[in-house]
Amino acid sequence: MSMEEVFNDGIYECIVVATNVEKYKVTSKVTVILQIRDDISATELKNTNKIYAGYRLKLEYWQKKVSHTFNISNFQYLCYACGLPEGVEINGINGLNDWLIGRQIRVMQHAEYSDYFRMRVNNIAPWKVYPTQYPNTELTRKYRTSLGLETD
């Protein structure tokens, strides 16, 4: 892990910029990379978005080592927060990636000490994701169009 800046605890309004999958010997991890939005000047975000606009946070979803499955509820929180319509079928991680890119999301970030890394790290619990309170459809359209993805 590189030395990452530890951000203030609080609510951040973000846009999903990428997802990736890492495979290890006994488990896998899906990482959703969020860019902190710079198009919001709300007073409630003065200690978060205003300071860290343009920086990135990560949501990490680890596969269970014994069953080799992911906790599907965690992905449901994410999809709900990003506005996935009821009944839309997502085909695997590539389908999830294609749908998530450019979606806006509100997250609660909390820095905590990691025994593994022996330092404070940024952390977003999978259930601490919410729909944005500052929707910007032009931002989503612009971002998705620049990557050649459909804008719905």
Side-chain angles (χ1 to χ4, degrees), residues 9-36:
D9 290 356
I11 295 285
Y12 287 82
E13 289 278 348
C14 301
I15 187 168
V16 177
V17 296
T19 63
N20 71 10
V21 178
E22 297 174 68
K23 295 183 185 259
Y24 302 93
K25 284 184 180 180
V26 294
T27 190
S28 295
K29 173 178 73 167
V30 173
T31 303
V32 178
I33 301 169
L34 309 171
Q35 184 165 315
I36 299 169

Side-chain angles (χ1 to χ4, degrees), residues 88-102:
V88 171
E89 190 172 317
I90 300 291
N91 293 317
I93 192 63
N94 290 336
L96 181 64
N97 178 66
D98 289 349
W99 190 84
L100 284 174
I101 297 298

Side-chain angles (χ1 to χ4, degrees), residues 71-102:
N71 181 342
I72 206 70
S73 295
N74 292 340
F75 289 104
Q76 289 173 329
Y77 290 123
L78 175 66
C79 290
Y80 169 77
C82 288
L84 180 67
E86 193 77 27
V88 171
E89 190 172 317
I90 300 291
N91 293 317
I93 192 63
N94 290 336
L96 181 64
N97 178 66
D98 289 349
W99 190 84
L100 284 174
I101 297 298

Side-chain angles (χ1 to χ4, degrees), residues 107-120:
V107 299
M108 170 66 86
Q109 196 284 140
H110 172 72
E112 61 185 27
Y113 184 81
S114 166
D115 289 331
Y116 182 80
F117 293 113
R118 296 185 180 165
M119 59 188 271
R120 284 175 53 82

